[in-house]
């Protein structure tokens, strides 16, 4: 899971709730601390077990370029309520939620970014073609479901959650498997408590179904490549969730711009925030003249 280095909201960043036809979406909304918003807005979508806070280190820098930036919790994640319908947590359904969020904030065409599992979700938004977009960024994401150790981790989580996951079961799993390793990692207490609260706030059915989606998503790269939209594939040089060579091959198939972030792994927005924010701003600015 992505682990933010701090939780205090930077200047120009505020916590908001956005009403959509499919429910309330929790978000962090960033605007320039000084000056106006002369550029188009951006919407950032987190990965499996993630949240809007995964982007907290880049929001101020991105906004200072002159645009509004929204980072969201998907339904069932942290502070966005989730429902009890298993189908509402499919990539296609979550992609529809992203469409509704963009429509609700009413900022015109936006730049859309999906991190990890969020990339599988946002490509559904793009492929549905129901909302005007300026660009699509896949950050540390891949062409299909995860494989290797990441797949094993997701499958083990599904196994211990069981077929009818409950909050009580999630609480048991945290204290049995996550609490001590997190404490031993040396994280500041504030961050450790946040990670616990975020995990236990997830809707248990949502967590189970998203785990299934991130392991079984089909390869839709060719369909995405056919969409006439500027695309960026951005990842850390040490990413182990979708290996760099897999993401590089995907970028080639998409005819996308490709940026490899030095010194970063699966969470470039946390591990190399300034480099990541600079690359995104450069790409978004160029896309607005596309």
């Amino acid at each position: 899971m992505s682990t933010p280095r701090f939780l205090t909201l930077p200047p120009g960043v505020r916590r908001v709730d956005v009403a959509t036809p499919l429910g309330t979406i929790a978000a962090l909304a960033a605007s320039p601390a000084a000056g106006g918003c002369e550029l188009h807005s951006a919407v950032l979508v987190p990965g499996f077990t993630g949240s809007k806070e995964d982007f907290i280190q880049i929001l101020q820098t991105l906004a200072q370029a002159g645009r509004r930036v929204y980072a969201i919790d998907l339904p069932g994640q942290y502070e966005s309520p989730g429902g009890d319908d298993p189908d509402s947590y499919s990539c296609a359904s979550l992609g529809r939620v992203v469409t509704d969020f963009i429509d609700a904030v009413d900022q015109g065409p936006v730049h859309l970014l999906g991190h990890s599992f969020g990339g599988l979700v946002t490509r559904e938004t793009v492929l549905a073609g129901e909302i005007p977009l300026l660009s699509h960024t896949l950050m540390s994401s891949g062409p299909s479901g995860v494989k290797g150790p990441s797949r094993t981790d997701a499958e083990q989580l599904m196994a211990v959650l069981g077929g009818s996951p409950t909050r009580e079961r999630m609480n048991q799993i945290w204290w049995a498997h996550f609490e001590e390793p997190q404490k031993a990692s040396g994280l500041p207490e504030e961050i450790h408590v946040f990670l616990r609260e975020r995990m236990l706030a997830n809707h248990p059915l949502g967590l189970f179904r998203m785990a299934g989606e991130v392991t079984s998503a089909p390869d839709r790269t060719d369909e995405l490549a056919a969409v006439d939209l500027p695309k960026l594939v951005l990842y850390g040089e040490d990413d182990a969730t979708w290996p760099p060579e897999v993401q590089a091959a995907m970028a080639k198939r998409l005819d996308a711009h490709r940026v490899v972030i030095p010194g970063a792994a699966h969470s470039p927005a946390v591990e190399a925030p300034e480099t990541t924010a600079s690359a995104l701003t450069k790409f978004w600015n160029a896309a607005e003249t596309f």
Side-chain angles (χ1 to χ4, degrees):
M1 66 183 75
S2 292
T3 304
R5 303 283 170 82
F6 60 83
L7 297 170
T8 301
L9 297 184
V13 180
R14 60 193 178 93
R15 167 74 170 79
V16 300
D17 288 312
V18 176
T20 79
L22 295 174
T24 300
I25 298 298
L28 296 178
S31 299
C37 295
E38 301 174 350
L39 301 172
H40 286 272
S41 300
V43 174
L44 316 180
V45 179
F48 175 56
T49 73
S51 67
K52 59 194 177 302
E53 286 75 15
D54 295 347
F55 302 107
I56 197 169
Q57 290 173 237
I58 63 174
L59 289 177
Q60 183 182 21
T61 303
L62 293 175
Q64 281 304 113
R67 57 172 44 92
R68 289 185 179 86
V69 184
Y70 298 90
I72 72 170
D73 293 340
L74 289 167
Q77 286 183 331
Y78 193 30
E79 295 180 319
S80 287
D84 296 326
D85 179 2
D87 291 339
S88 68
Y89 298 107
S90 69
C91 286
S93 294
L94 294 172
R96 174 69 207 187
V97 171
V98 174
T99 293
D100 286 346
F101 177 86
I102 294 170
D103 188 53
V105 296
D106 193 22
Q107 298 293 319
V110 303
H111 302 283
L112 182 60
L113 177 150
H115 173 237
S116 193
F117 174 66
L120 302 176
V121 170
T122 56
R123 77 176 182 186
E124 298 294 326
T125 306
V126 174
L127 291 173
E130 297 178 3
I131 200 78
L133 299 170
L134 289 167
S135 73
H136 183 214
T137 297
L138 295 166
M139 176 189 284
S140 305
S141 192
S144 59
V146 291
K147 296 178 173 59
S150 296
R151 181 186 184 93
T152 300
D153 290 344
E155 289 176 338
Q156 288 177 342
L157 180 59
M158 286 190 289
V160 295
L161 278 171
S164 300
T166 63
R167 293 198 179 277
E168 179 183 12
R169 183 63 182 140
M170 285 180 60
N171 192 66
Q172 292 170 349
I173 291 168
W174 176 270
W175 290 99
H177 300 282
F178 293 102
E179 178 68 15
E180 287 306 317
Q182 289 290 350
K183 288 185 70 173
S185 68
L187 290 171
E189 181 65 13
E190 178 189 32
I191 302 300
H192 171 68
V193 170
F194 164 74
L195 293 177
R196 181 202 303 144
E197 291 179 346
R198 178 172 71 175
M199 178 62 83
L200 297 181
N202 286 327
H203 193 294
L205 180 59
L207 198 64
F208 181 85
R209 287 287 285 123
M210 288 183 198
E213 290 287 291
V214 80
T215 56
S216 65
D219 188 335
R220 303 192 70 184
T221 305
D222 291 342
E223 296 169 74
L224 190 59
V227 178
D228 185 18
L229 190 69
K231 303 176 186 75
L232 170 65
V233 173
L234 181 151
Y235 55 91
E237 63 177 349
D238 298 319
D239 197 349
T241 301
W242 280 276
E245 60 270 20
V246 171
Q247 296 187 61
M250 180 181 67
K252 186 174 182 179
R253 291 172 63 192
L254 290 171
D255 192 23
H257 298 274
R258 181 170 66 96
V259 173
V260 182
I261 304 296
H266 190 57
S267 301
V270 173
E271 297 146 352
E274 291 305 316
T275 305
T276 299
S278 176
L280 290 173
T281 296
K282 181 179 178 181
F283 171 67
W284 290 340
N285 288 351
E288 292 187 21
T289 61
F290 179 71

